[in-house]
């Protein structure tokens, strides 16, 4: 499986963008001068993505071994599906809330 890594730095001031540039030169690093917010920053990454699938992964999240290939396999097996979400599991193996109810009028 091949992949590309796109990192959008949302005007961080902690040196993390420099760390990404130094330690992960193969990653496509996009630096923003201002904090665009979650959605707009993701849109900057989407604009340069070349892959068939896009995975959003926050800096405080980690993939379990085998999770990504299995997810891609499932997506490829269901070509009518255009979006998938993951189950969030904490370091203590407890399920974490990842969704809320839609607002009602």
């Amino acid at each position: 499986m091949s992949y590309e890594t796109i990192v959008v730095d949302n005007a961080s001031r902690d040196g993390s963008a420099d760390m990404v540039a130094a330690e992960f030169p193969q990653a496509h690093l996009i630096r923003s001068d201002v904090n665009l917010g979650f959605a707009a920053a993701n849109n900057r990454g989407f604009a340069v993505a070349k892959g068939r699938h896009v995975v959003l992964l926050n800096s405080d999240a980690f993939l379990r071994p085998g999770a990504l290939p299995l997810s891609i396999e499932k997506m490829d097996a269901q070509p009518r599906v255009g979006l998938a979400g993951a189950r969030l599991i904490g370091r203590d193996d407890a399920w974490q809330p990842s969704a809320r109810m839609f607002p009602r009028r």
Side-chain angles (χ1 to χ4, degrees):
M1 174 174 27
S2 65
Y3 62 91
E4 64 183 325
T5 301
I6 301 166
V7 177
V8 180
D9 180 74
N10 232 353
S12 65
R13 296 181 182 151
D14 61 0
S16 56
D18 292 334
M19 180 275 299
V20 168
E23 294 186 28
F24 303 96
Q26 71 280 13
H28 183 143
L29 175 61
I30 300 170
R31 296 178 191 246
S32 177
D33 294 334
V34 296
N35 187 331
L36 301 170
F38 182 74
N42 286 331
N43 287 339
R44 295 269 315 264
F46 294 150
V48 301
K50 298 179 185 98
R52 187 172 75 243
H53 302 286
V54 176
V55 176
L56 298 178
L57 189 65
N58 286 349
S59 60
D60 62 347
F62 303 90
L63 290 170
R64 288 205 168 179
L68 190 54
L70 180 60
S71 299
I72 299 225
E73 177 184 316
K74 297 292 185 184
M75 291 292 290
D76 286 346
Q78 298 292 328
R80 294 184 62 196
V81 173
L83 177 72
R87 177 183 302 158
L88 299 182
I89 301 172
R91 291 183 188 268
D92 61 355
D93 286 333
W95 287 16
Q96 305 293 311
S98 62
R100 304 288 185 263
M101 298 297 293
F102 282 105
R104 296 177 188 223
R105 291 184 176 195

